[in-house]
Amino acid sequence: QTDGQISTREMNVVDFASGAAGGVAMALSGHWADTIKVRMQTGEGGTMLSTARDIMKQDGLLGFYRGVQSPLLGMIAMNAVVFMSYGGSKVAMSRVTGRDEEQFNVADYFVAGCGAGAAVAFVEGPTDLLKCQIQNGRYSGLAAATRGVLSVNGVRGLFQGFSAVQLRNTPANGMWFGVYELLRMR
């Protein structure tokens, strides 16, 4: 647009790119701890420190990043989708309510956040399923895990547990964005 305003399309690109960059940072900064956690939760480890030592002994430093491909790609996609969906949900909320975002209340942001949560579940469910399959050692990498799950259960296999992910993500993202916007208002 020429009046200095950012178009919805441009804002979608900004939301998508910002979310994707944040996703890379999230995946790389926390995956090592997630690997320790998964090993402990599946009975393959003792304490956090002993589990970390075992991983280092068995696989070296790269062992902490076993299965990182799925969350790396997933976090890029998830953050891109959640922020782009949130932006789109706010635009839709403006159209439905007839109010500009500056006039939104916490409930409006909650509903927009729920829309983002519902959308991101379609990415997060399969991503988390594949990550767990790799971290548990069932598959050696993302391609093998994807092929394995698809060969056993087809595309539906990627969405095992989807209803629980959807049930968790929809209100959780509504709360997250609602509280975030509430605190920004103050």
Side-chain angles (χ1 to χ4, degrees):
Q1 295 180 350
T2 57
D3 60 358
Q5 298 241 349
I6 297 175
S7 72
T8 301
R9 183 173 173 222
E10 291 169 325
M11 199 63 226
N12 283 342
V13 170
V14 169
D15 288 342
F16 187 88
S18 299
V24 170
M26 279 179 75
L28 294 179
S29 67
H31 190 76
W32 64 271
D34 193 59
T35 299
I36 294 169
K37 174 199 66 111
V38 167
R39 294 259 182 112
M40 291 172 70
Q41 288 177 329
T42 58
E44 295 179 35
T47 66
M48 194 163 114
L49 188 56
S50 68
T51 303
R53 267 186 265 176
D54 290 345
I55 292 169
M56 189 64 154
K57 224 183 276 182
Q58 293 169 0
D59 300 317
L61 196 56
L62 290 178
F64 291 100
Y65 288 90
R66 171 182 253 173
V68 74
Q69 307 94 325
S70 178
L72 181 60
L73 295 174
M75 291 307 291
I76 290 169
M78 286 178 354
N79 281 345
V81 168
V82 80
F83 286 104
M84 192 171 76
S85 297
Y86 182 60
S89 293
K90 290 190 296 185
V91 169
M93 184 65 67
S94 286
R95 290 182 183 141
V96 168
T97 64
R99 292 180 278 133
D100 290 332
E101 186 180 342
E102 294 78 32
Q103 299 168 311
F104 281 5
N105 59 40
V106 174
D108 296 324
Y109 289 119
F110 172 80
V111 171
C114 285
V120 78
F122 286 92
V123 177
E124 186 172 356
T127 299
D128 196 50
L129 177 108
L130 294 171
K131 174 196 66 105
C132 290
Q133 298 288 321
I134 297 164
Q135 285 178 316
N136 283 337
R138 185 170 288 170
Y139 298 103
S140 61
L142 181 58
T146 304
R147 279 191 306 273
V149 169
L150 290 174
S151 71
V152 172
N153 295 314
V155 173
R156 287 181 56 155
L158 292 172
F159 291 91
Q160 293 174 65
F162 178 75
S163 58
V165 173
Q166 189 72 273
L167 187 61
R168 176 194 67 197
N169 279 15
T170 300
N173 278 275
M175 293 298 292
W176 191 95
F177 281 109
V179 169
Y180 170 78
E181 297 291 358
L182 174 67
L183 295 175
R184 285 186 63 210
M185 291 177 191
R186 299 192 179 263

